[in-house]
Amino acid sequence: MTRRFPPLSPKCPHFLHGGDYNPDQWRHMPEILDEDVRLMKLSGCNAMSTAIFAWTALEPEEGRFEFGWLDNVMDKLADNDVYVVLATPSGARPAWMARKYPEVLRVGADRRRILYCVRHNHCYTSPLYRRKCAIINRKLAERYKDHPALILWHISNEYGGECHCELCQDAFRNWLKKKYDNDLDHLNRAWWTSFWSHTYTDWSQIESPAPHGEMHLHGLTLDWKRFVSDQTIDFYLNEIKPLREITPDIKITTNLMGTYLGIDLRKFAPHLDVVSWDSYPSWRAATKEDVELASSVAFHHDLNRSLRSGQPFMLMESTPSVTNWQLVPKLKRPGLHFLSSLQAVAHGSDTVQYFQWRKGQGSWEKFHGAVVDHCGHENTRVFRDVAQVGEALKKMDCIVGTTTPAEVALIFDWENAWAIHDACGPRREKKDYLPTCVSHHRAFWKRGIPVDVIGMDDDFSRYKMLIAPMLYMIRPGVADRIEAFVRAGGTLVATYLSGITDENDRCHLGGFPGPLRKVLGIWAEEIDALYDDDRNHVVMTPGNPLGLAGESEASIFCDLIHAETAQVAATYRDDFYAGRPALTRNCFGTGAAWYMASRNEEKFLQAFYDELAAHLKLGRALDTDLPEGVTAQMRTDGSRVFVFLMNFAQEERTIVLGKGKFRDLLADKELPGRVTLPCYGCFVLERG
Ligand code: GLA
Ligand code: ZN
């Protein structure tokens, strides 16, 4: 069955290539617009995210709007076949507004209101700010609704942070009243407030977490994070209301920030028409570091693609050269810009967008990478790198709208991350939820096996295998759905520190892993925390179902478990728990549930997942073994298959392509069965 998603806009059935464009900073040099357009065409750029921080240019004083300069920009771009991803300006507000209406300014957890400064620091509750945003957004929509350049809305910029003002405190209390049916006893029980005599007797006693206030009541800290997330989304919904009304056919996105923990992005995604995100990895030009980093970036791309069930996402920002706020803004080595841009496409992006188009002359980001540098012309290495990406994207129209056929899903869940972060135990540091998820994902990335990164409330039934590292919090209904998945033939892999708490972060009673105990067939009695240098060892049991042998290192966490209905596949070698189970497999229905009791080294994860992948016959991009540093990712519409072969190592690598015919899409020629990729090399192939 062919399955292709529609392009981001019917006006432009191609990859979008471009970036953040701030002509509002250059109004005193009007001649620069023609030059920008010339350079856009030369670099193969066809889409600009425009006016992201232009509020003062659009409304220089309250109620007086100036759109002339933006009309001019939009017209000029349209005349030259450059499309506009038009922003709403709430990410930064005018000084006049902050002076006149201090309520728009955020109050920190320390209860101090900020002075007017920087950006991304408004109150999400302020009725005044919401009104001001709705007014200017309505004006933008009315003015540009039929403009040929407009293809997409870019709402605000990188929503994040929290406000603790009185308006927000009240909104929080109201949110709690709704959640707990106006029943304070219900809240007290959910939050376990009898601990340290913290029982609330009136709603007004509840305050948001503060460094000089409450930080230890996990029910409170968890609900506060949920509230901040919901309030941010509610603010966004207020922003988009006039746009939905006036431009119902123009898709809406906002630039998210990967695994940013301040907002539950899985709750945000259903309100977007397209997911987009900003990616700024710190490349090192060293094989080990870059390969690890590349796999982490891959994880984030997979997550963004999975936020809307495989629909292509947008790489909204990336740097064409340096990222000035990084401690060491290293130049991108030759080839790396092409590779890292195509990496996003390989995982499902239908765009390559940059921050920023032209380097500003002053202020904080004057040294941030840009397509057009201060020299102002096209004769730069960076410009040529960007033009090379533009050239390639033009040859890839056939990939637009395709998706990734993952048979494996890995759970990364925001609320779970919050609860693990708050927990005082079983170690204070090195809980490392995200890096642990990335390390499990890496085993598949190295083999070219596509993986979706989903939440615990998502549908599991479309996958053959479900990996749930450190599923500490189990919300109601999740365990039943996991059981149903395994019973129906699915393979589950769970680890130490799973099934510990409920949705209020209270421990499950009756033995860990709580509601997963039955499907996993084990009881986790205690968990040992290891000092950083401590090691235990995991020894494979002879005759284990994967046929694995030998031993490997375990560190940080070792669960002391009892196999109940599960079969033991490996045991601990050392310490007082030597000989006790370290890896188990429980046959359940027609599927199987594995439990990895300790944090294991990468060698173990790779061997374990390689065997499982072979048993389950998981599809991979290429039917071949990939050398260290090389990955292969695939996109398909169900009939045509496109493979991205990428080398993140510092040395060249030779790859035997395996069975089938391969066409190099960029060079438009058949490839031999064996190809060599230079350092940072990348091929885009069609698999015949
Ligand atoms: C973020 C912002 C941009 C810019 C870049 C710089 O992603 O959205 O406006 O500040 O960082 O890296
Ligand atoms: Zn506030």
Side-chain angles (χ1 to χ4, degrees), residues 388-558:
Q388 186 198 1
V389 172
E391 266 306 295
L393 293 176
K394 277 183 197 153
K395 297 178 182 158
M396 290 162 56
D397 277 354
C398 52
I399 301 180
V400 172
T402 55
T403 189
T404 301
E407 295 175 324
V408 183
L410 185 147
I411 295 182
F412 172 82
D413 191 272
W414 265 262
E415 294 195 352
N416 189 49
W418 295 340
I420 291 174
H421 174 268
D422 281 356
C424 186
R427 266 189 60 142
R428 293 294 293 274
E429 299 172 331
K430 303 270 171 77
K431 282 182 278 187
D432 286 345
Y433 175 50
L434 174 61
T436 302
C437 290
V438 171
S439 70
H440 283 252
H441 179 273
R442 185 175 303 130
F444 296 88
W445 179 82
K446 287 188 167 189
R447 294 296 183 255
I449 299 171
V451 179
D452 281 350
V453 179
I454 65 170
M456 68 173 93
D457 299 320
D458 285 331
D459 176 22
F460 308 141
S461 64
R462 38 198 275 231
Y463 302 104
K464 286 186 181 171
M465 184 174 184
L466 180 64
I467 304 169
M470 297 170 73
L471 201 62
Y472 172 85
M473 171 193 278
I474 308 274
R475 291 193 291 272
V478 172
D480 291 343
R481 291 174 38 251
I482 290 180
E483 272 187 19
F485 166 77
V486 180
R487 188 174 290 116
T491 298
L492 168 74
V493 180
T495 73
Y496 55 91
L497 223 60
S498 286
I500 309 290
T501 67
D502 65 12
E503 77 278 19
N504 296 308
D505 208 12
R506 294 172 310 193
C507 289
H508 289 294
L509 303 179
F512 300 129
L516 295 180
R517 188 167 168 183
K518 191 165 122 212
V519 69
L520 288 163
I522 58 137
W523 169 38
E525 182 183 347
E526 296 181 88
I527 183 159
D528 194 17
L530 277 60
Y531 280 92
D532 286 5
D533 297 339
D534 290 351
R535 292 288 180 273
N536 204 314
H537 290 83
V538 169
V539 185
M540 296 309 300
T541 307
N544 65 78
L546 292 180
L548 289 170
E551 63 177 46
S552 54
E553 284 184 355
S555 60
I556 309 292
F557 293 120
C558 290

Side-chain angles (χ1 to χ4, degrees), residues 103 105-107 113 122-126 163-169:
E103 76 167 58
L105 298 172
R106 206 168 268 186
V107 171
R113 196 178 290 279
H122 53 270
C123 171
Y124 286 126
T125 304
S126 159
C163 175
H164 297 254
C165 76
E166 279 309 317
L167 293 168
C168 287
Q169 302 291 349

Side-chain angles (χ1 to χ4, degrees), residues 180-401:
Y180 295 101
D181 301 323
N182 241 331
D183 179 354
L184 206 47
D185 288 345
H186 185 183
L187 174 143
N188 279 314
R189 276 194 307 279
W191 289 6
W192 203 253
T193 54
S194 47
F195 178 71
W196 288 343
S197 196
H198 280 202
T199 304
Y200 296 103
T201 53
D202 192 275
W203 294 95
S204 64
Q205 295 155 2
I206 300 173
E207 283 267 349
S208 63
H212 56 305
E214 190 62 83
M215 297 288 267
H216 294 77
L217 191 60
H218 293 157
L220 167 73
T221 50
L222 190 62
D223 270 347
W224 170 251
K225 289 185 185 113
R226 287 177 173 137
F227 161 76
V228 170
S229 210
D230 284 2
Q231 195 70 348
T232 311
I233 296 167
D234 192 61
F235 180 90
Y236 157 88
L237 291 175
N238 171 72
E239 277 218 48
I240 67 168
K241 213 182 289 166
L243 312 181
R244 288 278 188 233
E245 184 192 315
I246 300 162
T247 57
D249 297 331
I250 304 284
K251 288 187 182 149
I252 292 181
T253 190
T254 185
N255 48 340
L256 307 174
M257 293 184 280
T259 43
Y260 169 69
L261 286 181
I263 305 171
D264 185 341
L265 299 183
R266 279 215 187 76
K267 282 187 151 180
F268 211 143
H271 302 289
L272 305 171
D273 298 321
V274 187
V275 166
S276 69
W277 84 286
D278 301 343
S279 176
Y280 290 101
S282 300
W283 300 106
R284 292 290 299 270
T287 295
K288 183 170 181 302
E289 285 79 359
D290 280 358
V291 169
E292 282 195 5
L293 184 61
S295 88
S296 168
V297 175
F299 175 92
H300 286 80
H301 286 317
D302 285 346
L303 182 149
N304 277 278
R305 185 192 65 244
S306 308
L307 281 177
R308 286 184 57 82
S309 308
Q311 179 191 336
F313 61 94
M314 300 175 72
L315 176 65
M316 185 62 93
E317 289 181 27
S318 60
T319 184
S321 69
V322 298
T323 305
N324 71 321
W325 49 261
Q326 289 171 351
L327 281 181
V328 183
K330 205 170 179 65
L331 291 179
K332 276 185 171 175
R333 270 40 206 166
L336 181 56
H337 179 66
F338 188 79
L339 174 64
S340 59
S341 299
L342 278 261
Q343 186 191 15
V345 175
H347 288 267
S349 179
D350 270 2
T351 72
V352 176
Q353 306 278 110
Y354 311 116
F355 179 87
Q356 50 192 333
W357 168 255
R358 180 184 281 278
K359 247 180 222 188
Q361 204 180 347
S363 206
W364 178 254
E365 289 178 330
K366 62 178 174 290
F367 296 129
H368 196 289
V371 181
V372 183
D373 211 327
H374 292 132
C375 65
H377 57 65
E378 66 270 34
N379 300 316
T380 64
R381 186 179 75 99
V382 169
F383 191 93
R384 285 189 292 275
D385 280 355
V386 167
Q388 186 198 1
V389 172
E391 266 306 295
L393 293 176
K394 277 183 197 153
K395 297 178 182 158
M396 290 162 56
D397 277 354
C398 52
I399 301 180
V400 172

